[in-house]
Amino acid sequence: MKFSMPLPAAIVIAAATALVISYSIYRPEFAGVTLLIYFFTVFLLSVTVFIINSMYSRHKSSIDASDFTSIAEGLNTEIIIWADDYSFIYLNKKIRDELGIEYNGYDRIEALNMAFGLRGRDPLNLIKLSECPNFEVTFRNRRQTNTTIAWSTSVVKKRKKNSIHLTTGFNLTELKKMKVNLASANDFFNASMELAEIGFIMSTSKDRKKYAVSPEAVRMFGLKSNSIDVNTLRTLIHPNDRTQFDRAVKSNDNSGEVNSIEMRIKPPDGTYRWFSFRYKSIKPTDNTMALFGGALMDISQERAKDILIERLAFIDEVTEIPNRNRLMEVGQETYDTSMLLNYSYWIIVFDIDRFHIVNDTCGYNNGNYILKNFAHILYKYVTPGGLAARISGDNFALMLRDYGDEELPMLTARKIQDEFAKLAVDEFGAINLSCSCGYSKMPEDGKSFLDVMEHAEFALKSSSGTRSSICGYAPSMHDSIIGKTELEKSLALAIDNNELQLFYQPKINLKTGQIMGVEALIRWIKPDGTIIKPDSFVPIAESSHLIGKISEFVLSEGCRQNMLWQKMGYPKIVMSINFTSTDFYQNDLREKVFDALTKSGLSPEWLEIELTESLALSDVDFAVSQMNKLRELGVKLAMDDFGTGYSSLSYLQILPITLLKLDRSFITDIRSNNIAFQIVSSVINIAKSKEIETIAEGIENKEQEDILRTAGCDYGQGYLYGKPMPAQKIEEFFDRAKRGAMITNSTNTTRKKSGSK
Ligand code: C2E
Ligand code: MG
Ligand code: MG
């Protein structure tokens, strides 16, 4: 800083000098002392002025600029604060670092020159230039070469003299670099979002009506610009999904949590695709408004997979209606709701009568066609909140909302039966399609949906035997089950008291009219003479361990009786006995049969064991091995009730049977029902090709007999020839047959050897 004398001080000193010189001339004797005092005084005054001047100057500048310097020091912008006369020049840390100078110990004018990069020029002019807009200086010798700084100056403290200026320098080179980096970061972001196929939308207006759209979202939705208003966006969304989108937009959840919805969106010229929209609301700050926006991701493929998985798990493949799993799931939900809201529902279960045989004879494709059509018929009766499902092979279920009409299940079931029968007439000519139904009510008929379903199935089974039956569940149906224990007890006693007796029903050779065998059918004859039929007690015996005792009796008694007849000189015939699965799957089955034969002395070829299909199919491999053991003994095997259960002609290939018993239900209407005739004929032919003999059960009239004989059926059994009867009656039968043979002068009362191979 330069020393400068203030003007008033100079005038005072000049006046005092003139006074001292005048006085020294007037009084020369005091001139020496006067001059000494004078120079001493001037010296003191000068020193004082210098100190005051110096203090004044420093005080004046620091007070004006200190506020600015303390702020400017730490800023990341080049800042110079200066006074007009350069009595104060401050350069902030950013600029000092750039120039490589310390805060103290540098010539500030020199530093100012360096800052502006133009050495040797009048800094005042240069700094004045910085007051012009767009004043830029490019450096070559600064730390960063080729740095362009844009300077701009403004007055921060205006005074008449020595105003304070603030000059800021923006490093344009750094700024450009930042812009490049920013641009590449943006590109990277956009590229990533494109690869990840994630689009973004973000509100640009406080009312969330206008949105900025990311390039990927523009591409996804085929938009023409990167902004969209909420109404246009809504038109792209599937009408069913708009409400949840509206809810998202209106949500005022400022918790910062991310929410998510799934909706279908369609580009103007495309098709709907599924998108997940993860959105959040962002709180406003002092500088920003409230924002709302989120990420959109195409999830159509995942959705398609989910749908496929759901289809596989819950939709029946053949009929494309819900399967049992689905019914159980929806059913339990409905059960819970019905408990809660006091609703009730009907559950109707259907069983297509003799479907398996239709399937086998009409072909697999026709079988599927029938199932599909049945499902289609059923679906027509589904009312809101209800459901139709295929629950197993030929079993279906219908869940119907109950509105107080107790007749509803019965009427609906009848309508379905009628439509199903009509389908047969329309599509399959003479085929006779029918179905049986059982129904129960929810929630009163069970403690869970499963319970209610089982009761409907229980009702269905209770009605089985007759075609086109409809049976409602009643808790009294359980009475028979409750009474079961009682029945079991008395049955056990009956066995011990010899109340069980075998009746025999003749089997006739359809070609010769001769008796070829008998079927042993058990009867429980109570002490009062009441005869109880096996259907009432065999199933109970089967569920307890009594069946073993019964079967043992039947086996030994059947063999004994047949041997007795042979000993009595009657013609040799085959004795057929019925076995349940409990008997059949015994490991010592072969030994038991062998024992009975040995004890009675009956030759094995005169013993036949009847098995049902369901019995043989519950464990095919084991059944085949058991059957083979019996066949090795020389015993014959018959497949009973063929056509009622899971009848499959393919099993004829693997089961070593010798006789096929066509179920009575085919024979009953064989005359009027062409399809029954077709089925019977084809089964007979297939059996013949496998060298399996055939017998028809339930022949009640001559017409049936004639048709069956013509169709090639080997034997017949039924009321036409005789009902099951006691042994003595059979003997009468033999005698009659013998007499008949004598009348026709035939001595040959033996039959063709049945099932011999
Ligand atoms: P299944 O073995 O199919 O026996 C034939 C059934 O049809 C017999 O009934 C017989 O009386 C009846 N039937 C025969 N011809 C005609 C006819 O022309 N018209 C009508 N409407 N019915 C006819 P049953 O004796 O009441 O036996 C019923 C079932 O009980 C048998 O069916 C068999 O599965 C079972 N069963 C009978 N006895 C025994 C036995 O000793 N042990 C075992 N495990 N089951 C037996
Ligand atoms: Mg039988
Ligand atoms: Mg039978």
Side-chain angles (χ1 to χ4, degrees):
M1 183 178 288
K2 278 183 178 174
F3 173 77
S4 61
M5 175 72 71
L7 188 63
I11 293 167
V12 170
I13 288 170
T17 307
L19 204 70
V20 167
I21 290 168
S22 306
Y23 184 73
S24 297
I25 292 166
Y26 175 66
R27 297 285 298 267
E29 65 274 22
F30 297 116
V33 178
T34 306
L35 282 171
L36 196 68
I37 292 167
Y38 170 71
F39 282 120
F40 183 70
T41 309
V42 167
F43 174 74
L44 277 177
L45 185 68
S46 300
V47 169
T48 307
V49 166
F50 175 78
I51 290 166
I52 290 168
N53 187 23
S54 159
M55 280 176 66
Y56 172 76
S57 145
R58 189 167 296 165
H59 178 72
K60 176 181 73 173
S61 304
S62 62
I63 286 170
D64 287 339
S66 63
D67 290 345
F68 305 114
T69 56
S70 63
I71 295 165
E73 182 67 4
L75 292 181
N76 197 26
T77 309
E78 297 188 11
I79 292 173
I80 306 165
I81 300 170
W82 49 279
D84 276 346
D85 62 353
Y86 306 121
S87 57
F88 175 78
I89 300 171
Y90 159 82
L91 295 97
N92 76 341
K93 187 167 183 311
K94 169 85 177 168
I95 201 163
R96 295 197 309 272
D97 288 349
E98 278 297 318
L99 300 174
I101 54 174
E102 296 291 321
Y103 190 78
N104 293 313
Y106 60 87
D107 180 334
R108 291 174 184 219
I109 300 291
E110 176 64 6
L112 207 57
N113 266 329
M114 281 164 69
F116 287 104
L118 297 162
R119 283 170 186 275
R121 302 269 296 272
D122 180 356
L124 183 64
N125 285 339
L126 282 171
I127 210 159
K128 283 280 173 218
L129 270 176
S130 71
E131 284 174 330
C132 306
N134 305 324
F135 174 69
E136 286 180 12
V137 179
T138 302
F139 297 89
R140 258 174 239 103
N141 56 350
R142 255 182 137 175
R143 284 195 176 176
Q144 303 167 342
T145 51
N146 287 330
T147 309
T148 304
I149 311 280
W151 295 102
S152 112
T153 296
S154 53
V155 177
V156 290
K157 190 89 182 173
K158 188 127 185 107
R159 290 205 192 105
K160 273 189 187 157
K161 279 186 175 175
N162 231 9
S163 296
I164 303 289
H165 301 262
L166 176 87
T167 300
T168 49
F170 289 99
N171 189 329
L172 294 182
T173 315
E174 260 180 27
L175 203 70
K176 273 179 200 153
K177 254 195 221 163
M178 273 170 70
K179 275 187 182 167
V180 169
N181 285 343
L182 270 176
S184 59
N186 204 30
D187 287 349
F188 174 75
F189 176 76
N190 283 338
S192 308
M193 293 307 108
E194 191 185 333
L195 285 171
E197 296 183 335
I198 300 174
F200 286 93
I201 59 166
M202 186 61 75
S203 62
T204 54
S205 66
K206 223 173 170 183
D207 58 6
R208 301 182 175 185
K209 286 202 165 145
K210 291 200 168 69
Y211 290 85
V213 185
S214 77
E216 181 55 14
V218 167
R219 189 196 64 75
M220 275 174 173
F221 306 130
L223 304 179
K224 291 201 170 70
S225 85
N226 57 2
S227 64
I228 193 167
D229 66 272
V230 76
N231 287 333
T232 317
L233 188 56
R234 274 186 99 251
T235 58
L236 304 180
I237 297 171
H238 192 283
N240 291 356
D241 301 334
R242 281 178 197 159
T243 321
Q244 54 164 345
F245 175 72
D246 293 344
R247 225 179 287 136
V249 172
K250 282 185 190 135
S251 67
N252 247 341
D253 175 15
N254 281 333
S255 63
E257 275 195 16
V258 178
N259 296 301
S260 170
I261 55 172
E262 290 182 358
M263 55 189 179
R264 282 154 288 182
I265 305 179
K266 175 168 82 88
D269 53 352
T271 51
Y272 281 112
R273 296 186 67 79
W274 279 99
F275 285 88
S276 119
F277 179 46
R278 287 168 57 78
Y279 63 92
K280 73 186 255 182
S281 304
I282 303 164
K283 270 188 199 169
T285 64
D286 292 344
N287 303 321
T288 59
M289 63 174 187
L291 289 171
F292 167 79
L296 285 146
M297 220 165 100
D298 191 327
I299 52 160
S300 304
Q301 276 185 3
E302 285 73 13
R303 268 270 173 168
K305 271 184 221 153
D306 288 351
I307 289 168
L308 190 70
I309 289 167
E310 189 162 322
R311 271 189 75 85
L312 290 175
F314 292 117
I315 300 290
D316 173 60
E317 244 179 87
V318 176
T319 58
E320 298 191 328
I321 67 168
N323 60 15
R324 192 183 183 99
N325 291 346
R326 183 74 184 151
L327 176 72
M328 296 316 287
E329 201 181 81
V330 175
Q332 189 53 51
E333 281 167 16
T334 315
Y335 182 92
D336 297 340
T337 317
S338 63
M339 289 290 276
L340 216 74
L341 303 175
N342 252 342
Y343 289 168
S344 48
Y345 287 81
W346 295 105
I347 313 298
I348 314 175
V349 290
F350 299 83
D351 178 51
I352 300 179
D353 298 325
R354 297 182 318 177
F355 175 72
H356 286 279
I357 200 72
V358 172
N359 203 19
D360 277 339
T361 46
C362 297
Y364 195 71
N365 285 343
N366 281 331
N368 280 358
Y369 181 81
I370 290 168
L371 290 175
K372 271 183 209 164
N373 274 281
F374 190 81
H376 184 71
I377 294 169
L378 218 55
Y379 233 85
K380 284 200 255 173
Y381 292 89
V382 177
T383 48
L387 189 81
R390 182 184 176 206
I391 52 178
S392 64
D394 59 346
N395 292 129
F396 291 79
L398 182 63
M399 187 165 79
L400 284 181
R401 175 83 190 271
D402 165 52
Y403 293 99
D405 178 6
E406 291 293 310
E407 294 288 294
L408 182 74
M410 182 67 86
L411 294 176
T412 311
R414 267 207 199 113
K415 281 185 199 160
I416 290 168
Q417 284 178 335
D418 291 348
E419 271 200 58
F420 190 45
K422 197 169 169 291
L423 167 86
V425 176
D426 292 349
E427 309 269 335
F428 292 95
I431 198 171
N432 199 350
L433 286 179
S434 63
C435 64
S436 300
C437 322
Y439 61 88
S440 58
K441 201 175 187 181
M442 181 161 93
E444 42 267 69
D445 283 345
K447 290 193 187 90
S448 66
F449 179 71
L450 182 67
D451 241 19
V452 177
M453 264 288 286
E454 280 177 355
H455 288 159
E457 284 171 337
F458 187 67
L460 172 71
K461 278 177 197 147
S462 314
S463 69
S464 68
T466 37
R467 284 163 58 178
S468 301
S469 61
I470 303 173
C471 180
Y473 168 77
S476 60
M477 283 176 172
H478 287 288
D479 296 350
S480 59
I481 296 169
I482 296 161
K484 196 177 127 184
T485 30
E486 289 303 309
L487 199 65
E488 261 177 45
K489 277 183 208 158
S490 41
L491 182 60
L493 277 173
I495 295 169
D496 293 342
N497 296 340
N498 298 320
E499 288 172 22
L500 297 183
Q501 197 183 318
L502 285 186
F503 273 34
Y504 303 93
Q505 187 176 30
K507 298 178 178 183
I508 302 298
N509 183 325
L510 291 180
K511 277 188 198 127
T512 63
Q514 299 295 322
I515 181 169
M516 55 69 76
V518 289
E519 178 176 7
L521 295 158
I522 197 155
R523 298 290 182 266
W524 176 2
I525 303 174
K526 293 208 164 182
D528 63 359
T530 324
I531 298 177
I532 303 175
K533 287 204 164 190
D535 286 339
S536 316
F537 65 89
V538 166
I540 290 161
E542 208 177 353
S543 64
S544 60
H545 294 291
L546 296 172
I547 193 70
K549 269 192 165 184
I550 294 178
S551 301
E552 226 170 84
F553 162 74
V554 174
L555 180 63
S556 58
E557 180 58 18
C559 291
R560 190 198 64 78
Q561 182 61 62
N562 202 15
M563 193 57 213
L564 182 66
W565 281 330
Q566 287 188 9
K567 282 181 186 160
M568 287 165 79
Y570 290 121
K572 290 184 176 174
I573 55 161
V574 174
M575 170 68 66
S576 302
I577 59 160
N578 293 279
F579 262 5
T580 64
S581 62
T582 320
D583 306 317
F584 182 67
Y585 286 106
Q586 299 287 319
N587 281 324
D588 57 353
L589 172 76
R590 184 186 180 279
E591 286 67 38
K592 277 180 177 160
V593 174
F594 182 75
D595 278 0
L597 289 169
T598 318
K599 273 183 195 157
S600 62
L602 184 74
S603 171
E605 64 192 294
W606 304 115
L607 179 67
E608 183 172 66
I609 292 170
E610 294 191 4
L611 309 162
T612 58
E613 310 158 66
S614 49
L615 179 156
L617 298 183
S618 62
D619 184 347
V620 177
D621 290 343
F622 190 47
V624 170
S625 90
Q626 292 287 77
M627 285 169 138
N628 280 332
K629 280 180 193 165
L630 295 175
R631 292 287 294 124
E632 279 160 21
L633 276 182
V635 169
K636 294 186 170 67
L637 292 176
M639 172 69 78
D640 202 357
D641 304 340
F642 189 81
T644 50
Y646 301 89
S647 315
S648 173
L649 292 167
S650 55
Y651 287 112
L652 298 185
Q653 314 262 21
I654 48 168
L655 301 178
I657 52 165
T658 47
L659 182 78
L660 194 80
K661 293 189 84 176
L662 292 159
D663 189 66
R664 194 172 79 230
S665 56
F666 289 106
I667 314 306
T668 312
D669 52 0
I670 196 163
R671 198 170 64 94
S672 56
N673 184 351
N674 187 40
I675 195 73
F677 173 73
Q678 296 295 337
I679 290 169
V680 167
S681 303
S682 42
V683 170
I684 290 170
N685 289 331
I686 292 167
K688 264 203 165 65
S689 71
K690 308 274 173 232
E691 292 186 13
I692 296 169
E693 296 186 303
T694 47
I695 182 166
E697 291 182 286
I699 301 180
E700 292 183 355
N701 55 56
K702 266 272 172 211
E703 279 169 322
Q704 291 168 338
E705 184 190 58
D706 290 343
I707 293 170
L708 285 159
R709 191 185 295 111
T710 317
C713 186
D714 298 304
Y715 311 112
Q717 179 183 349
Y719 294 169
L720 177 66
Y721 313 107
K723 290 190 174 181
M725 55 191 95
Q728 303 90 298
K729 290 261 177 201
I730 286 288
E731 286 158 22
E732 285 172 22
F733 199 90
F734 282 139
D735 292 337
R736 268 205 316 273
K738 203 174 174 185
R739 278 201 301 276
M742 282 164 72
I743 290 163
T744 54
N745 207 19
S746 169
T747 49
N748 183 11
T749 52
T750 52
R751 64 178 178 88
K752 172 190 169 189
K753 277 194 177 177
S754 94
S756 55
K757 284 188 189 170

